[in-house]
Amino acid sequence: MKKATLVLFSLAVPFASVRATPQDEQFQQIAQDYIEGYLAANPEDATELGDHRFDAKLTDYSAEARAGELARAKETRQKLEALTGLSQLTGANKVDLRLRIGSTTRSFVSKS
């Protein structure tokens, strides 16, 4: 489920910028940073999704790495919740915002 949400979310980001507002651009940057961090921290998932930049790496399941991923998810959620002018987001980004907040919330549960 997490992979499907990530794939749908990452596919929607480029199309959402057709008539992007400043809020859309801010959201897309936060989302892109989160996705890049997720793929770097989960190289097997990246490979499964067709991103071969991390093929020579394996996921680090140490307590330190898990704590770092949890902190990154919390930071991303705070950034998303702090976005102002959410009514200015385009339709696709409004949906993506809800998906991303839900995804970061599930990260808290699965990594704690």
Side-chain angles (χ1 to χ4, degrees):
M1 177 67 176
K2 179 172 44 171
K3 290 179 190 174
T5 301
L6 181 66
V7 170
L8 290 173
F9 180 73
S10 62
L11 291 174
V13 170
F15 297 111
S17 63
V18 174
R19 292 175 51 176
T21 65
Q23 291 81 3
D24 284 318
E25 292 172 9
Q26 186 179 12
F27 166 73
Q28 289 173 7
Q29 186 60 56
I30 294 168
Q32 185 66 29
D33 292 345
Y34 182 79
I35 291 168
E36 287 296 317
Y38 176 85
L39 294 175
N42 299 278
E44 292 97 341
D45 289 348
T47 300
E48 187 174 323
L49 292 169
D51 183 343
H52 297 283
R53 294 177 292 162
F54 310 105
D55 283 355
K57 297 181 180 181
L58 293 173
T59 300
D60 181 357
Y61 292 105
S62 69
E64 295 83 16
R66 290 173 44 121
E69 278 298 287
L70 179 59
R72 196 175 65 76
K74 286 180 178 179
E75 179 184 356
T76 299
R77 182 178 175 131
Q78 289 172 346
K79 287 179 182 179
L80 291 171
E81 290 176 338
L83 282 175
T84 57
L86 296 181
S87 64
Q88 301 296 316
L89 289 175
T90 62
N93 281 334
K94 285 180 184 178
V95 173
D96 290 346
L97 175 64
R98 283 178 273 190
L99 288 171
R100 184 57 35 222
I101 288 175
S103 174
T104 57
T105 300
R106 284 188 298 280
S107 291
F108 302 154
V109 173
S110 66
K111 292 183 182 3
S112 40

